[in-house]
Amino acid sequence: MTARLQNPGRTQGDPALSRRDFGQLLVGATAAAVPLFLPARLLGAEAPSNRLRVGQIGCGRIAQVHDVPAVLKAGSADYVAVCDLDSRRAADSKEQIAAFYRKSGGVAPDVRVYSNYRELLAHPDLDAVVISTPDHWHAQLVAAAVLAGKDVYVQKPFTMTVAEGKLLRDLVAKTGRIVQVGSQQRSTPQFRLACELVRSGRIGQVRRVEIGLPIDPTQPDDPRQPVPPNLQYDEWLGSTPQVYYTEQRVHPQKGYSRPGWLRNESFCLGMITGWGSHHYDTMHWALNTELSGPGRVEARADFPHNKIWNVHGAYQVDLTYPGDVRVSVSDKHPNGLKFIGTEGWIWVTREGQTTASDPSSPGTALPPLDASDHRLLVPEGLSVQLPRSDEHHRNWLESIRSRREPIAPARIAHRSGSACIVSWIAMKLGRPVNWDVRTEKFVNDSQADALLARHERSPYGVQHLVGEQKWQPTSKEVAANLAASAGVSA
């Protein structure tokens, strides 16, 4: 199907792409790829014995507004268990699931509530888990889940450190589990189309990429508070150092507004990995560097002196990618990506925010897809057609059934996550670093290498967990897979 544009000859100075034009473009880009599905009831897939049984680990803001609703709406899975270290949030999640079934007229399964993820993983007949916890828990929970034989959907960023990412990539390959990382821009039409256009040479040779990410504000440290009786605080801290409790550090005890842990470096590295995980992943997709990464990275950033809300503020990161593509990442750029080539530019961003409490970039909202000339955006005649997904959680559930790799697998998420973490390291050091994508270490830089991992407080942490499981080196087959993911010969 060919998209008909209102003004195909628009130049850079003309008005922005209209919503109608944008909708036409996406219809043209996706219509030919929509498969014909028979209703599940005709195949018996709606029978309880054929539906996937899912557990939810972490019942906070992103689970409430994004992960739980998306899994329920997919129509092929049932939640049978929820787990959170805050008993109020676990109870809220159970009620949210029950309310969905009441509203839809379906029969709600018996949803068990757990405070210990190990008990949830031992739940009988559990097929898969969704992990929506603070970032510092991602690696341990993914490792525990795949070792328990469960498929996993995990929120981004994939991990907090490069060392965790390497370990999980290897472990996922070894166990053969289906792991989808929450880089949902891969399941959003305008991002896929933008990447297809760039990879098909529509803007000529890519010279530069500009990425804009928001930042979180800081504020003075709040004093110690009593630990709420409904929160298992020491376990919530997990592998991070023991520090006093204050609500500012964790999450609100009333409501689901933006939690404080997103602004503390023990639990999150800030927007460079928060939104960065999305936009770096899209850049890697467009540049065909999904299994590679940057070489030289130079950065500067403002880090507050506060001990609680201490993630980075204003920043500038400059990276060099294969082919001498120069990438500028800054809070001064509008939120999104601009690919600049020898024959024009293409801009892509989201429509709206994932949650109402996400920070937004200043300035006028830009269209979700734009270009120096609208003819660059016509989706016909593309030489590159990328994998298609119309909804990220549904793609994961379909992959569980087919046992085919999902659209945002661990091996790719590790590389985009590593690029974000390497950027953070350069921001912390305030000087240039050289990254070797083959060895996944810095070039002759022990100070930077020391930031690729971090101390884990016993008995928590992913390395402690896999040590308990007596995890062994990968087989020859897995080693070949890992070599391919690193872009080298086995």
Side-chain angles (χ1 to χ4, degrees):
M1 180 183 292
T2 302
R4 300 297 181 187
L5 300 178
Q6 293 285 324
N7 184 14
R10 189 184 74 88
T11 62
Q12 185 170 349
D14 289 335
L17 188 66
S18 71
R19 287 184 179 270
R20 180 179 179 183
D21 287 343
F22 174 59
Q24 289 176 322
L25 281 171
L26 296 188
V27 168
T30 60
V34 176
L36 178 63
F37 288 107
L38 292 175
R41 64 181 179 276
L42 299 181
L43 303 176
E46 289 187 350
S49 60
N50 290 331
R51 294 173 66 81
L52 295 170
R53 296 162 64 87
V54 178
Q56 177 69 41
I57 304 178
C59 303
R61 178 191 66 136
I62 199 69
Q64 281 272 330
V65 303
H66 185 58
D67 290 331
V68 171
V71 171
L72 290 170
K73 291 175 184 177
S76 61
D78 292 313
Y79 271 112
V80 296
V82 297
C83 177
D84 200 282
L85 295 172
D86 187 324
S87 60
R88 288 181 182 173
R89 293 191 160 205
D92 285 351
S93 186
K94 178 175 181 176
E95 172 54 28
Q96 179 186 17
I97 294 165
F100 173 86
Y101 286 99
R102 287 197 299 269
K103 185 175 180 180
S104 64
V107 178
D110 178 26
V111 178
R112 297 189 187 179
V113 177
Y114 297 96
S115 61
N116 187 312
Y117 78 86
R118 301 167 188 84
E119 294 177 356
L120 179 141
L121 292 176
H123 182 90
D125 302 324
L126 188 70
D127 299 305
V129 295
V130 178
I131 297 171
S132 314
T133 63
D135 300 356
H136 69 290
W137 264 101
H138 287 183
Q140 181 173 343
L141 292 172
V142 172
V146 299
L147 286 168
K150 313 304 178 186
D151 297 312
V152 176
Y153 184 106
V154 59
Q155 265 299 329
K156 57 78 210 167
F158 186 40
T159 61
M160 285 276 288
T161 70
V162 172
E164 289 175 340
K166 291 167 64 178
L167 190 151
L168 287 193
R169 176 193 59 194
D170 294 6
L171 191 56
V172 170
K174 177 179 174 63
T175 59
R177 305 319 304 173
I178 298 296
V179 174
Q180 175 93 299
V181 180
S183 301
Q184 71 265 20
Q185 288 177 182
R186 286 181 174 250
S187 297
T188 308
Q190 72 263 29
F191 287 98
R192 182 183 65 248
L193 176 57
C195 292
E196 290 177 336
L197 292 165
V198 171
R199 285 178 65 161
S200 295
R202 194 60 65 84
I203 60 172
Q205 185 174 356
V206 181
R207 296 297 192 190
R208 293 188 293 121
V209 182
E210 294 177 355
I211 297 178
L213 309 172
I215 53 175
D216 268 316
T218 187
Q219 68 180 37
D221 298 342
D222 283 350
R224 181 190 299 268
Q225 294 175 307
V227 177
N230 50 290
L231 176 65
Q232 297 178 47
Y233 179 60
D234 185 77
E235 185 152 354
W236 185 93
L237 289 173
S239 62
T240 68
Q242 287 181 306
V243 288
Y244 71 77
Y245 171 82
T246 178
E247 186 174 303
Q248 181 190 38
R249 195 191 306 274
V250 186
H251 58 248
Q253 281 296 302
K254 293 183 179 180
Y256 288 85
S257 61
R258 192 167 183 81
W261 66 259
L262 279 167
R263 310 175 207 197
N264 184 282
E265 283 197 331
S266 287
F267 321 121
C268 173
L269 300 183
M271 280 295 170
I272 194 65
T273 57
W275 272 82
S277 292
H278 292 300
H279 289 351
Y280 276 62
D281 179 64
T282 298
M283 173 182 65
H284 282 196
W285 210 17
L287 299 183
N288 196 20
T289 55
E290 295 168 281
L291 302 177
S292 179
R296 184 176 174 86
V297 182
E298 187 170 359
R300 61 183 183 274
D302 295 333
F303 287 90
H305 297 293
N306 301 328
K307 293 182 179 180
I308 299 179
W309 284 9
N310 60 0
V311 296
H312 67 84
Y315 65 96
Q316 173 70 44
V317 181
D318 297 296
L319 309 96
T320 303
Y321 270 77
D324 200 33
V325 177
R326 304 302 176 94
V327 179
S328 170
V329 186
S330 174
D331 63 293
K332 305 302 188 295
H333 298 317
N335 191 343
L337 302 96
K338 188 175 186 179
F339 298 94
I340 304 165
T342 54
E343 299 178 23
W345 56 262
I346 288 175
W347 158 265
V348 65
T349 190
R350 294 191 190 185
E351 288 187 284
Q353 300 162 278
T354 301
T355 73
S357 61
D358 275 346
S360 58
S361 294
T364 303
L366 297 175
L369 189 64
D370 204 0
S372 52
D373 186 324
H374 274 188
R375 288 172 293 190
L376 297 176
L377 301 178
V378 177
E380 63 181 1
L382 296 177
S383 60
V384 174
Q385 297 286 334
L386 295 172
R388 309 239 165 180
S389 163
D390 61 354
E391 205 287 318
H392 211 55
H393 298 78
R394 185 180 299 117
N395 173 262
W396 171 60
L397 295 169
E398 291 169 352
S399 294
I400 292 175
R401 292 194 178 280
S402 69
R403 307 314 297 173
R404 295 174 182 170
E405 189 172 72
I407 201 166
R411 64 190 182 93
I412 288 176
H414 165 61
R415 286 295 184 170
S416 56
S418 293
C420 295
I421 296 166
V422 167
S423 297
W424 175 81
I425 291 172
M427 289 161 60
K428 295 294 283 188
L429 295 177
R431 61 170 174 79
V433 294
N434 294 300
W435 178 245
D436 187 331
V437 296
R438 185 184 180 93
T439 63
E440 298 187 83
K441 291 184 177 181
F442 292 97
V443 179
N444 299 323
D445 196 333
S446 58
Q447 185 185 26
D449 281 340
L451 297 175
L452 295 174
R454 64 179 189 170
H455 174 74
E456 296 179 330
R457 181 171 67 101
S458 182
Y460 306 103
V462 66
Q463 293 186 37
H464 177 78
L465 174 69
V466 298
E468 284 182 340
Q469 296 287 337
K470 296 182 172 60
W471 181 57
Q472 299 296 322
T474 57
S475 66
K476 289 183 179 180
E477 292 79 11
V478 173
N481 187 354
L482 300 180
S485 76
V488 300
S489 299

